[in-house]
């Protein structure tokens, strides 16, 4: 090949197991993101938003364990889960939530089309993606562009760029670490606003179609 394209540095490192690739470029997915977005008020926003395909690798079991830990401290944020998945796995997650005593905190919103997705972004206080593995991570980038503070786990490859820009709280893939990040961010407007501003800047400078097209042209 004349060139191998990777969407993240983490993806390039993981691919090196098949041999060293000397001719490569790292360019994020070209996403149609708003480039003139301004920071929005975090007042009147509520709870956590998970928006993704509902799959074992997305780490909802870790998030549920984190919520159970926080509940013991009388911290009970609402979690909206937007997405669809295999019926048996969704049933297993609902049973796990009931077993952990957090079922009443969870809203199962189902699949969200583009209009509904933007509405969910506008209503949420914090976006969270607790994945065990993610070669990129489109939804958290869209959340940044919508002005949402983000919590993301290290195995999600976009976490490196977000962490370097202080545009998200990046945590180990561990329930206690996720609980700590939620504790840090929920009801903390100054921190939310700092992440929000840095996230909007990162989407303009790195993830927007303007930025990615320029990299492809070069």
């Amino acid at each position: 090949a004349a060139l191998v394209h990777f969407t993240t540095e983490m993806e390039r490192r993981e691919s090196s197991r098949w041999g060293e690739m000397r001719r490569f470029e790292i360019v994020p997915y070209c996403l149609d993101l708003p480039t003139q977005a301004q920071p929005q008020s975090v007042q009147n926003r509520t709870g956590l938003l998970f928006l993704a395909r509902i799959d074992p690798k997305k780490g909802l079991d870790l998030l549920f364990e984190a919520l159970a830990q926080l509940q013991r401290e009388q911290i009970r944020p609402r979690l909206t889960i937007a997405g669809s998945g295999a019926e048996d796995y969704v049933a297993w997650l609902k049973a796990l939530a009931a077993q952990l005593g957090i079922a009443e905190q969870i809203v199962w919103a189902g699949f969200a089309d583009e209009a509904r997705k933007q509405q969910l972004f506008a209503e949420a206080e914090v976006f969270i993606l607790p994945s065990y593995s993610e070669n990129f991570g489109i939804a958290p980038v869209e959340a940044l562009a919508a002005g949402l503070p983000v919590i993301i786990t290290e195995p999600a490859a976009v976490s490196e760029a977000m962490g370097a820009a202080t545009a998200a709280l990046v945590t180990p893939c561990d329930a206690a670490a996720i609980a700590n990040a939620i504790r840090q961010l929920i009801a903390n407007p100054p921190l939310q606003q700092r992440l929000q501003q840095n996230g909007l800047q990162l989407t303009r400078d790195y993830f927007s179609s303007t930025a990615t097209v320029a990299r492809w042209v070069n």
Side-chain angles (χ1 to χ4, degrees), residues 178-193:
I178 294 167
N180 186 53
I182 295 170
R183 189 186 300 110
Q184 242 186 301
L185 197 50
I186 284 287
N188 186 343
L191 179 56
Q192 291 180 16
Q193 287 165 355

Side-chain angles (χ1 to χ4, degrees), residues 129-177:
L129 182 67
S131 284
Y132 290 105
S133 173
E134 203 80 42
N135 78 302
F136 186 74
I138 291 174
V141 175
E142 292 177 325
L144 287 187
L148 262 178
V150 168
I151 296 172
I152 190 169
T153 47
E154 291 169 347
V158 290
S159 68
E160 291 185 334
M162 291 180 178
T166 319
L169 290 187
V170 180
T171 80
C173 210
D174 171 82

Side-chain angles (χ1 to χ4, degrees), residues 6 12-22:
F6 299 106
R12 184 202 67 77
R13 289 199 306 270
E14 291 176 352
S15 298
S16 66
R17 72 186 72 174
W18 292 289
E20 193 61 32
M21 300 180 195
R22 298 181 182 230

Side-chain angles (χ1 to χ4, degrees), residues 2-143:
L3 185 76
V4 180
H5 167 224
F6 299 106
T7 58
T8 61
E9 169 60 24
M10 187 183 296
E11 189 177 52
R12 184 202 67 77
R13 289 199 306 270
E14 291 176 352
S15 298
S16 66
R17 72 186 72 174
W18 292 289
E20 193 61 32
M21 300 180 195
R22 298 181 182 230
R23 299 183 300 274
F24 67 86
E25 289 292 337
I26 299 170
V27 184
Y29 284 123
C30 185
L31 303 175
D32 186 15
L33 302 172
T35 56
Q36 302 301 320
Q38 298 298 319
Q40 301 295 314
S41 171
V42 294
Q43 293 181 351
N44 302 320
R45 294 188 175 197
T46 57
L48 306 169
L49 172 65
F50 169 95
L51 189 152
R53 179 169 49 91
I54 299 177
D55 183 271
K57 82 168 191 171
K58 299 295 184 179
L60 278 169
D61 56 325
L62 287 177
L63 180 52
F64 286 9
E65 290 172 25
L67 290 177
Q69 291 180 27
L70 291 171
Q71 189 185 69
R72 292 192 284 273
E73 304 169 26
Q74 307 304 310
I75 301 172
R76 297 185 176 89
R78 185 182 70 179
L79 169 64
T80 298
I81 297 175
S84 57
E87 288 184 11
D88 56 346
Y89 183 61
V90 173
W92 181 84
L93 284 172
K94 289 181 177 180
L96 176 63
Q99 178 186 333
L100 293 171
I102 60 167
E104 292 185 0
Q105 294 171 232
I106 299 174
V107 177
W108 298 86
F111 173 79
D113 62 16
E114 186 61 30
R116 176 62 174 145
K117 182 168 66 174
Q118 294 306 319
Q119 181 185 2
L120 290 167
F121 283 152
E123 293 171 352
E125 186 177 359
V126 173
F127 182 89
I128 186 162
L129 182 67
S131 284
Y132 290 105
S133 173
E134 203 80 42
N135 78 302
F136 186 74
I138 291 174
V141 175
E142 292 177 325

